[in-house]
């Protein structure tokens, strides 16, 4: 099967053009069509000869996203997409509007291996990794459909980004390339449930992005009940890696903490969380858990959320409750795909 040309960086594309015996400047033109102008086919490259386009189409393809379902929130304008892929699989993306511009949350895998019990993304299991080109297609398709420029990227949709490490690193290389979308690395957030070896590897790259770690518990015993990854990479091991990341990069880590009523939202949990995070460059992002039909989890009450924050703040841990967007369209990743799988 031909390789997705969107996944190629400029150096690789230049080598291909050289091997085909075409002038080197053609590589820059083609790369601009792909990464800056975001075309979906070789036919759109109007200043490229038919001969070169034909040769490229023999070797490469565009694995585009097609919009299967589009939901628009009447509350805040958040847009949720269910994209169909070239092989018939589905992924989700969510576009959110903020004062500073547009942000997109994309998927990095079809399905997920991690099995977190509060997350709809794991329903149906893992299918495959997305290529860098397919992840770019999520971004480019949403931009074109909405007629906007997206300037913030969140890798927090379906899948575990650090489980698809090489493809995600290529995506970051391409999306920040000044010859393409030229997105600032500081406008990118990557979320992980805690793949410890890859946190260390990411730290050494010193990319400047924001690392979000799905913690969701103040200790290993509670975490293991909802997050199987904690059995392989335990709580203390994860926090050690996080401290290394913060110290090595100088970047604050955002700890995601789903507030689940009666499970992890007690005063004792808040005090224990403050204790284990003491001295780390970090922020706690409290997330009222989403209602998923397949689970019995319920979000913590507003009073309990406030009390939890008060305890963290009193112990010098910065914490906020994440703003909920698209609540009327089930904008949390995984829910739309799971619904489609059931219908299909």
């Amino acid at each position: 099967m031909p390789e997705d040309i969107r996944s190629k960086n400029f150096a690789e594309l230049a080598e291909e053009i050289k091997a085909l015996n075409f002038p080197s400047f053609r590589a820059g033109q083609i790369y601009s069509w792909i990464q800056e102008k975001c075309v979906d086919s070789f036919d759109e490259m109007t200043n490229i000869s038919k001969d070169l386009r034909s040769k490229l189409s023999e070797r490469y393809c565009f694995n585009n996203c097609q919009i299967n379902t589009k939901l628009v929130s009447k509350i805040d304008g958040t847009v949720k997409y269910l994209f169909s892929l070239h092989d018939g699989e589905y992924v989700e993306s969510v576009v959110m509007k903020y004062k500073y511009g547009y942000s997109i949350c994309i998927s990095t895998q079809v399905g997920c291996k991690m099995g977190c019990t509060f997350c709809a993304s794991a329903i149906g299991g893992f299918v495959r990794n997305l290529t860098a080109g397919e992840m770019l297609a999520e971004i480019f398709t949403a931009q074109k459909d909405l007629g906007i420029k997206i300037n913030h990227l969140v890798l927090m949709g379906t899948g575990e980004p650090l489980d698809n490490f090489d493809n995600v690193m290529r995506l970051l290389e391409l999306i920040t390339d000044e010859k393409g979308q030229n997105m600032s690395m500081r406008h990118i957030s990557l979320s992980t449930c805690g793949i410890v070896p890859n946190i260390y590897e990411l730290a050494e790259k010193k990319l400047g992005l924001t690392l979000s770690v799905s913690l969701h518990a103040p200790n290993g015993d509670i975490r293991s009940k909802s997050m199987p990854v904690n059995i392989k990479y335990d709580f203390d091991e994860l926090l050690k890696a996080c401290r290394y990341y913060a110290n090595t990069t100088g970047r604050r880590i955002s700890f995601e903490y789903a507030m689940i009523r009666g499970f992890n939202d007690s005063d004792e949990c808040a005090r224990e969380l403050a204790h284990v995070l003491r001295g780390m460059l970090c922020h706690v992002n409290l997330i009222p858990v989403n209602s998923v039909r397949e689970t019995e989890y319920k979000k913590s009450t507003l009073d309990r959320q406030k009390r939890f924050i008060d305890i963290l703040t009193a112990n010098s841990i910065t914490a906020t409750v994440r703003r909920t967007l698209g609540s009327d369209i089930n904008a949390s990743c995984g829910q739309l795909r799971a619904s489609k799988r059931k219908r299909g």
Side-chain angles (χ1 to χ4, degrees):
M1 181 177 175
E3 188 177 356
D4 188 350
I5 197 167
R6 279 199 194 93
S7 297
K8 291 289 183 183
N9 62 25
F10 179 74
E12 291 167 342
L13 191 57
E15 281 296 315
E16 179 69 11
I17 298 304
K18 181 180 178 181
L20 292 172
N21 295 315
F22 283 89
S24 60
F25 73 88
R26 292 298 186 193
Q29 292 177 322
I30 295 167
Y31 191 78
S32 177
W33 279 112
I34 297 168
Q35 299 297 343
E36 183 181 9
K37 299 172 185 174
C38 312
V39 298
D40 292 327
S41 71
F42 294 108
D43 291 338
E44 296 176 69
M45 300 179 182
T46 53
N47 62 347
I48 305 300
S49 70
K50 288 185 178 180
D51 184 29
L52 177 51
R53 281 184 278 162
S54 176
K55 284 183 167 57
L56 289 172
S57 65
E58 291 171 1
R59 294 164 172 78
Y60 299 105
C61 65
F62 285 86
N63 285 334
N64 297 318
C65 289
Q66 303 296 328
I67 299 173
N68 179 276
T69 305
K70 176 183 176 182
L71 303 176
V72 182
S73 171
K74 295 179 181 179
I75 299 172
D76 50 46
T78 295
V79 181
K80 183 170 186 176
Y81 292 101
L82 180 67
F83 291 126
S84 59
L85 305 179
H86 65 94
D87 60 355
E89 294 294 342
Y90 297 91
V91 295
E92 296 175 46
S93 299
V94 180
V95 177
M96 299 152 283
K97 185 178 181 180
Y98 295 93
K99 292 180 180 179
Y100 54 71
Y102 289 93
S103 177
I104 187 167
C105 178
I106 68 168
S107 298
T108 56
Q109 297 176 315
V110 180
C112 185
K113 300 175 186 176
M114 300 300 119
C116 300
T117 58
F118 48 79
C119 181
S121 296
I123 298 170
F126 173 77
V127 179
R128 66 174 178 86
N129 288 326
L130 295 182
T131 65
E134 288 176 311
M135 289 181 264
L136 285 172
E138 295 179 68
I139 302 167
F140 295 168
T141 303
Q143 282 191 154
K144 287 181 181 179
D145 179 61
L146 297 173
I148 61 171
K149 171 71 171 178
I150 292 171
N151 45 30
H152 287 71
L153 173 62
V154 181
L155 303 173
M156 198 184 287
T158 301
E160 164 56 55
L162 293 188
D163 187 48
N164 188 14
F165 192 85
D166 291 342
N167 286 323
V168 166
M169 292 304 106
R170 174 54 62 93
L171 165 70
L172 297 178
E173 175 190 353
L174 294 172
I175 199 68
T176 58
D177 191 339
E178 62 182 11
K179 300 184 187 71
Q181 295 298 295
N182 195 27
M183 186 179 289
S184 170
M185 194 68 79
R186 292 183 180 273
H187 290 174
I188 299 175
S189 296
L190 183 154
S191 178
T192 178
C193 68
I195 311 297
V196 167
N198 289 344
I199 291 176
Y200 283 108
E201 188 172 353
L202 187 65
E204 298 303 330
K205 292 181 178 294
K206 299 180 182 178
L207 295 179
L209 53 73
T210 297
L211 179 65
S212 296
V213 176
S214 296
L215 197 60
H216 305 311
N219 59 56
D221 289 341
I222 294 176
R223 194 167 193 262
S224 292
K225 293 176 182 177
S226 61
M227 301 184 71
V229 69
N230 196 71
I231 298 169
K232 185 169 185 179
Y233 304 114
D234 71 34
F235 189 81
D236 293 337
E237 190 179 359
L238 173 60
L239 288 186
K240 182 180 177 181
C242 290
R243 289 185 184 277
Y244 180 85
Y245 183 92
N247 293 336
T248 300
T249 65
R251 299 282 294 167
R252 183 179 73 169
I253 288 181
S254 177
F255 285 107
E256 308 292 328
Y257 195 102
M259 294 286 286
I260 304 172
R261 190 184 305 178
F263 180 73
N264 64 354
D265 63 349
S266 67
D267 286 4
E268 182 181 356
C269 285
R271 284 190 285 268
E272 189 173 3
L273 181 64
H275 175 74
V276 297
L277 298 183
R278 186 168 298 151
M280 193 187 309
L281 184 62
C282 68
H283 170 268
V284 175
N285 193 10
L286 299 178
I287 308 167
V289 73
N290 294 301
S291 298
V292 178
R293 284 190 298 268
E294 287 78 5
T295 75
E296 297 180 354
Y297 291 139
K298 298 184 183 301
K299 67 179 65 177
S300 303
T301 64
L302 293 176
D303 287 345
R304 185 98 297 271
Q305 294 172 39
K306 183 180 184 303
R307 173 64 178 165
F308 206 92
I309 283 184
D310 288 344
I311 293 173
L312 292 178
T313 302
N315 284 275
S316 303
I317 302 296
T318 305
T320 53
V321 175
R322 188 168 77 182
R323 178 185 170 198
T324 301
L325 295 177
S327 58
D328 58 327
I329 57 171
N330 288 332
S332 298
C333 278
Q335 299 186 57
L336 197 56
R337 175 174 173 268
S339 177
K340 176 68 177 179
R341 285 174 59 87
K342 284 186 176 182
R343 293 196 306 271

